[in-house]
C-alpha cells in the first residue's frame, strides 16, 4: 500500500504543468526514505544547478508553540524579479496585511502536515503598478524525517507585468 507521502506526491504531480517543477518534485521524493521527509542535507544543489536561480530555502522557526518563517536564501531570479533580497528576513519583515496572513497560514499548514504544496501566486512587486505571476512548489524538509524544519520553494514564472505597460493598449 502506498504511503501518505507517496499519495500526496502522486496527487500533486497530476496538477503540475511545468516540467522543471515535476522533475524537482520527483527528485525531492526520491530523497525520502520509507515515507519520511528528506532533510536539507539529502538535497545536493549540484544535482539541479539550472534551478538554483528560482529556488528559495525557508527556515521553520518554532517559538512559544507557534511557527515562524525566515528566508535562509533566495535565488538570483527570485531576488531580481521581486526587486529585493529576502535572505535572512522573516515573513513579518517582508509582507503585510492579507498577503502576510495568507503566507503564514499556508506555511503553517505545510509545516504541521509535512505535505508538499503547489499553487499559483500573484506577487505585488510594486503595489498597484507591477505584478509577478508564478507557480510555486513548496516542499517540506525535516532533519529527523518527520518534524518540518525547513522548506524548499521552486517558482516557475508565468508573467511579470507593469500596469503601465498593460494600459498602453488603451492609449
Amino acid at each position: 500500500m502506498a504511503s501518505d507521502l507517496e499519495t500526496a506526491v502522486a496527487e500533486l504531480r497530476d496538477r503540475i504543468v511545468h516540467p522543471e517543477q515535476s522533475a524537482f518534485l520527483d527528485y525531492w521524493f526520491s530523497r525520502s526514505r520509507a515515507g519520511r521527509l528528506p532533510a536539507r542535507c539529502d538535497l545536493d544543489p549540484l544535482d539541479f544547478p539550472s534551478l538554483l536561480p528560482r529556488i528559495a530555502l525557508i527556515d521553520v522557526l518554532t517559538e512559544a508553540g507557534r511557527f515562524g518563517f525566515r528566508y535562509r536564501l533566495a535565488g538570483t531570479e527570485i531576488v531580481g524579479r521581486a526587486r529585493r533580497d529576502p535572505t535572512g528576513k522573516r515573513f513579518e519583515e517582508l509582507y503585510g496585511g492579507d498577503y502576510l496572513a495568507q503566507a503564514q497560514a499556508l506555511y503553517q499548514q505545510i509545516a504541521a502536515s509535512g505535505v508538499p504544496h503547489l499553487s499559483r501566486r500573484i506577487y505585488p512587486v510594486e503595489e498597484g503598478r507591477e505584478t509577478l505571476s508564478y507557480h510555486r512548489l513548496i516542499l517540506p524538509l525535516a532533519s529527523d524525517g518527520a518534524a518540518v524544519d525547513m522548506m524548499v520553494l521552486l517558482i516557475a514564472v508565468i508573467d511579470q507585468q507593469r500596469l503601465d505597460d498593460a494600459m498602453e493598449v488603451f492609449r
Side-chain angles (χ1 to χ4, degrees):
M1 186 158 107
S3 71
D4 290 343
L5 186 58
E6 188 175 356
T7 301
V9 168
E11 290 172 0
L12 188 60
R13 189 179 294 114
D14 289 342
R15 295 180 34 233
I16 293 177
V17 296
H18 298 280
E20 289 179 335
Q21 287 182 321
S22 183
F24 194 59
L25 175 67
D26 290 341
Y27 172 81
W28 171 85
F29 185 65
S30 76
R31 298 305 189 253
S32 66
R33 292 182 202 95
R36 297 177 62 79
L37 295 171
R40 163 59 192 93
C41 65
D42 294 323
L43 307 182
D44 184 350
L46 296 176
D47 291 339
F48 47 89
S50 67
L51 302 181
L52 295 177
R54 293 183 311 284
I55 283 183
L57 288 176
I58 298 164
D59 289 321
V60 177
L61 311 169
T62 306
E63 301 161 332
R66 296 182 41 134
F67 291 118
F69 306 96
R70 176 182 57 224
Y71 282 88
R72 177 174 292 254
L73 66 85
T76 55
E77 185 172 341
I78 293 172
V79 170
R81 288 184 178 277
R83 296 203 183 100
R84 65 179 176 181
D85 187 353
T87 301
K89 293 186 173 75
R90 297 173 61 105
F91 283 14
E92 297 86 355
E93 296 174 77
L94 297 165
Y95 313 124
D98 288 342
Y99 196 92
L100 172 61
Q102 290 172 8
Q104 287 176 320
L106 173 65
Y107 282 81
Q108 287 171 8
Q109 176 186 357
I110 296 167
S113 69
V115 175
H117 174 83
L118 176 74
S119 58
R120 181 175 178 170
R121 294 295 298 156
I122 297 177
Y123 174 72
V125 175
E126 189 179 338
E127 193 64 48
R129 302 198 48 96
E130 185 173 2
T131 59
L132 171 63
S133 177
Y134 61 95
H135 285 132
R136 165 183 68 180
L137 176 65
I138 306 170
L139 304 173
L141 301 170
S143 297
D144 66 0
V148 176
D149 54 12
M150 188 177 288
M151 297 181 205
V152 59
L153 173 142
L154 173 63
I155 68 166
V157 174
I158 299 167
D159 184 41
Q160 186 158 4
Q161 188 171 45
R162 288 192 59 82
L163 183 59
D164 297 347
D165 296 340
M167 296 302 291
E168 191 64 32
V169 296
F170 296 107
R171 293 182 188 154

